[in-house]
Amino acid sequence: MAALDDVTLDEIRAARENIRGLAIRTPLLRLHSDRVPPDTEVYLKCENLQPIGCYKVRCAANALLSVDTTRGLHTCSAGNFGQGAAYVAAQRGVPCGVLVPDTAAQPKLDAMRKMGAEIRAVPFADWFAAVQARHVPGMPGVFVHPVADRAVLAGNGTIALEIVEDMPEVDTVLAAFGGGALTTGLAIAMRHVRPSARVFACEISTGAPLAPSLAAGRPVSVEYTTSWVDGCGSSGLLDEMWEPVRKHVAGALVVTPEQTAQAVRTLATQAHIVAEGCVVSRAFVAWFGC
């Protein structure tokens, strides 16, 4: 497998062209809220406006367009990458299979099925083992990894290109951390186009392996508990992701489900934006500096 820590700016720019017509260029909107600390400006990158309601259409599209999917494809996902894969597969008219943990949210399962995906649910430990093995027996076509793939990182890096175009002076970016593809893709892209900007991972406390791993200087495992913040959190890091995360990500910030719920309410009532918990976790960090 190709190294993941040296994705080039050319790859990221090529990804932007690849996904044109499948993903949209989303706005960067300033958050006006009494929860924002004085002398701080917080902006929201509104990836909830994507066709599937999530940024993962970017990385899924770029990854699918980088391999031969004529016989179809399959992947592992808690829901969002699976929606991106199902959406792109439907556009291309090829079969798509998604292995999900049995805790996956029903609305995400329904969305994938509506787009024609075959869904198979397994216990979380079996699902994570399949992510590590990079294969699901009996599912269609080629396996597309949802995290540890250069095309996935490059697809996520397109978000950073847009942020810097809209706000050249950006100094800090907060990104939800699950498997690490979003945070790492953003951090690598920022190194290319805005080297002074720092990218932080925001983890949910019910499954936050990155913070202790960075503190220990090596990957460590933690206890994982399911929560309503289903789009992020795990018991450990993928082996392939440790080096790019360690090299490019500035740090990890941990929030609780209760803090995330407060941020969901504030975002809905003061910004009139409805977003899922794994996205809003980073908004809480921005507002309250935890």
Side-chain angles (χ1 to χ4, degrees), residues 101 103 124 204 206-208 222-227 229-230 232-236:
T103 55
F124 183 87
I204 192 70
T206 52
V222 298
E223 182 179 354
Y224 172 72
T225 305
T226 58
S227 77
V229 187
D230 65 299
C232 58
S234 69
S235 59

Side-chain angles (χ1 to χ4, degrees), residues 11-22:
E11 288 177 274
I12 298 166
R13 286 173 172 162
R16 177 153 64 174
E17 295 305 312
N18 286 343
I19 67 178
R20 196 180 302 276
L22 292 168

